[in-house]
Amino acid sequence: MAPGKMDINIQYGMPSGHKIPALGYGVYQTPANVAEDVVLHAFKTGYRHIDSARVYRNEQPCAAAIRKAKIPRDQIFFTSKVPPRAMGYEKTKDAIESSFKQTGLDYIDLYLIHAPYGGKTARNGTWNALLEAKLAGRIRSIGVSNYGVHHLDELEVHINDLESNFGKGKGGEISVGQWELHPWLMRPDVIEWCEKRRIIAEAYCPLVRGERFDDPKLQKMATKHGKTPAQILIRWSLQKVRSSNHCHWRRNSGIDKRKGFVPLPKSVTLSRIEENANVFDFDLSEEDMMSLETSEYSPCSWDPTKSHD
């Protein structure tokens, strides 16, 4: 790939038919009293994708920033998530209503199940509530977070059952899955499952919370490209193509059909918000990409994929 072929405006098509920006701005642990200002700065920097959640307690200031930014709403992508304590049909309906009440948004672009807790009945009920809101046009795309392959298989059976009982399209589709993803936690089983179904894979903790910035291979790559370790890791995530066609791009109206991960770097430091977006003026070669990858399974965050309730 030639440098410059990818930019901050690149979007991926999702199974729902909607588009998602390839780079997101995460607001996990962003205090509500600063969230509006940092999201506004992210918009000023060029981000158009904000990843929030009910448990982050900052949906309201994020939405305030969306209104204050004066950017057309259809150019901004906003995500929230069902909290683990709200699993089950009725509780999820209440969580969705709370999101709309707090944000004042007419629609939410993406709503995810934050974690696969609560048991099969609760998981299926939560999916049904999200699907109901999607079919009503209030939520545009739905998906999951932190699901293991066994959870994904279970959900696919439920979707197929809904379609068998109520008709094609009535079971919904998993448009996005969100996981901790980086060279020390590549989750090949989950990613292969998603690739076969064209599901977008979002990467939280793409910077590994800074815990690997001193890694010799990462340091070498940063020196080679004149970039920070954080920028190298974000670029790795963007370029992590899930097929053998590493270097083939096919763009149509700004939609990139070669889908890498969608990294969600987070920071409340304005200079780092800018730094994390400054990753489109260089490329990692295939050799660079491979040299960073490991077979480690080393989460730096929680790992609900392993739950079996």
Side-chain angles (χ1 to χ4, degrees):
M1 291 178 292
K5 287 266 182 131
M6 190 181 199
D7 60 47
I8 201 168
N9 298 310
I10 286 291
Q11 299 179 325
Y12 299 150
M14 296 183 288
S16 64
H18 294 286
K19 298 177 291 185
I20 183 171
L23 178 65
Y25 174 62
V27 293
Y28 171 60
Q29 290 186 330
T30 300
N33 64 338
V34 303
E36 181 178 336
D37 289 341
V38 295
V39 170
L40 279 169
H41 191 75
F43 288 149
K44 181 180 178 181
T45 302
Y47 294 86
R48 293 295 182 267
H49 176 178
I50 306 301
D51 182 77
S52 184
R54 292 291 302 148
V55 297
Y56 300 171
R57 299 180 182 274
N58 55 25
E59 291 172 300
Q60 187 171 9
C62 287
I66 290 173
R67 285 187 290 274
K68 189 175 289 187
K70 305 299 183 183
I71 299 168
R73 176 66 182 90
D74 63 1
Q75 293 180 22
I76 293 174
F77 190 96
F78 179 73
T79 300
S80 193
K81 307 179 191 76
V82 179
R85 67 178 182 277
M87 295 295 283
Y89 178 74
E90 292 296 341
K91 289 182 179 180
T92 297
K93 284 184 66 176
D94 290 343
I96 293 169
E97 288 304 319
S98 293
S99 288
F100 280 104
K101 181 178 180 180
Q102 290 189 11
T103 64
L105 297 174
D106 293 329
Y107 66 88
I108 291 174
D109 296 273
L110 177 66
Y111 219 114
L112 303 177
I113 302 174
H114 207 151
Y117 295 145
K120 178 180 177 180
T121 299
R123 286 190 290 271
N124 288 348
T126 288
W127 182 260
N128 293 348
L130 289 176
L131 177 59
E132 187 177 278
K134 178 182 180 294
L135 293 175
R138 305 183 74 201
I139 295 171
R140 294 197 164 178
S141 303
I142 57 179
V144 299
S145 181
N146 296 301
Y147 268 45
V149 169
H150 56 294
H151 301 120
L152 293 167
D153 286 340
E154 174 191 275
L155 178 53
E156 187 169 58
V157 169
H158 180 59
I159 290 171
N160 290 337
D161 286 345
L162 289 172
E163 294 216 340
S164 295
N165 291 328
F166 302 108
K168 186 172 178 59
K170 298 300 184 181
E173 63 284 307
I174 307 168
S175 285
V176 171
Q178 188 179 119
W179 293 273
E180 179 184 340
L181 291 166
H182 46 69
W184 299 274
L185 186 59
M186 292 174 57
R187 303 190 188 276
D189 56 339
V190 168
I191 298 307
E192 181 181 1
W193 198 97
C194 290
E195 182 182 18
K196 289 178 180 178
R197 296 157 179 84
R198 298 176 54 250
I199 295 168
I200 299 293
E202 292 187 320
Y204 71 78
C205 293
L207 307 184
V208 208
R209 296 181 171 174
E211 295 174 7
R212 302 283 186 154
F213 283 179
D214 291 333
D215 180 271
K217 291 184 294 183
L218 182 57
Q219 284 286 329
K220 180 180 179 181
M221 203 66 59
T223 300
K224 174 182 175 180
H225 291 281
K227 292 291 183 177
T228 66
Q231 289 170 320
I232 296 296
L233 288 173
I234 293 169
R235 186 71 201 194
W236 178 88
S237 193
L238 288 165
Q239 285 187 220
K240 184 56 186 168
V241 186
R242 295 171 284 159
S243 72
S244 60
N245 295 324
H246 257 276
C247 298
H248 294 288
W249 291 71
R250 299 187 303 281
R251 301 213 301 174
N252 178 22
S253 302
I255 304 174
D256 176 32
K257 297 180 181 178
R258 157 245 168 265
K259 298 181 178 71
F261 297 157
V262 173
L264 305 168
K266 71 179 190 69
S267 179
V268 296
T269 304
L270 303 189
S271 62
R272 288 178 182 166
I273 293 172
E274 296 167 11
E275 174 188 310
N276 291 342
N278 185 22
V279 293
F280 298 102
D281 58 350
F282 75 105
D283 285 301
L284 297 178
S285 68
E286 188 167 350
E287 182 181 357
D288 291 340
M289 294 288 292
M290 294 298 293
S291 72
L292 290 171
E293 295 177 7
T294 76
S295 59
E296 288 187 35
Y297 192 100
S298 301
C300 67
S301 183
W302 64 337
D303 191 14
T305 66
K306 298 297 187 181
S307 69
H308 283 273
D309 62 348

